Amino acid sequence: DTEVTQTPKHLVMGMTNKKSLKCEQHMGHRAMYWYKQKAKKPPELMFVYSYEKLSINESVPSRFSPECPNSSLLNLHLHALQPEDSALYLCASSQDWAFFGQGTRLTVV
Amino acid sequence: AQSVTQLDSQVPVFEEAPVELRCNYSSSVSVYLFWYVQYPNQGLQLLLKYLSGSTLVKGINGFEAEFNKSQTSFHLRKPSVHISDTAEYFCAVSRGSQGNLIFGKGTKLSVKP
């Protein structure tokens, strides 16, 4: 299995909602990542987990809360988001190179 | 600090013509370099990578790139493009782990019949 699976593929949420994005990989990779990609822009790193511990937080607002319950799963909990947080959220895992999921297209209304 | 510059934001080309997408990087340490492709409404797919060894790297879909340390470049080439190559192409350099990436701004390759 050489895939990174992200669910849901699309998500529309209001500014007062709480939702979660899920990412799963079964390649045995011990590093996992969240990236944010705005329209017509490159992906930007948000968080890095290494061996299930948060190792990098790129000054992301606290309304984004990552969680790594085990070596195969990565979640991104969302609360009180703003319309400008609308973007494609990409999960990746890596060993020699990064494998990316198909992303979750998030729209905040 | 590391950075990546993709010199062309858009490259239009006719089908079966050759193409080169340019990428320059800046780094004070040894680098790992990557090219990723993104089709509309999809995630990123690795085209090829330079980790070490031969400076000419071959990837999927007939693409290749050459690592040039003296010119700090990692240009992507394909001798004959297809309509299906129309996509956004990102050059990236790793910071520490190979998944911790800094991306260039991307080059949109448009292949016309």
Side-chain angles (χ1 to χ4, degrees), chain A residues 55-66:
Chain A
S55 61
I56 295 177
N57 176 340
E58 292 283 4
S59 303
V60 178
S62 60
R63 57 186 185 268
F64 295 92
S65 175

Side-chain angles (χ1 to χ4, degrees), chain A residues 1-4 25 27-33 35 48-49 91-101, chain B residues 31-37 44-52 57-60 74 90 92-103:
Chain A
D1 185 357
T2 57
E3 283 190 346
V4 174
Q25 59 91 10
M27 294 177 279
H29 295 168
R30 302 314 296 266
M32 296 185 75
Y33 312 80
Y35 282 83
V48 180
Y49 271 83
C91 174
S93 69
S94 76
Q95 188 161 310
D96 292 329
W97 62 89
F99 287 79
F100 283 84
Chain B
V31 294
Y32 300 131
L33 292 160
F34 307 85
W35 276 98
Y36 283 87
V37 61
L44 280 74
Q45 181 182 9
L46 180 72
L47 274 179
L48 47 78
K49 61 191 181 298
Y50 173 77
L51 303 181
S52 66
V57 179
K58 293 191 184 296
I60 63 170
F74 191 54
F90 290 100
V93 63
S94 66
R95 299 179 288 182
S97 66
Q98 278 85 322
N100 184 344
L101 300 169
I102 297 175
F103 288 89

Side-chain angles (χ1 to χ4, degrees), chain B residues 23-36:
Chain B
C23 173
N24 287 87
Y25 69 92
S26 170
S27 176
S28 58
V29 297
S30 297
V31 294
Y32 300 131
L33 292 160
F34 307 85
W35 276 98
Y36 283 87

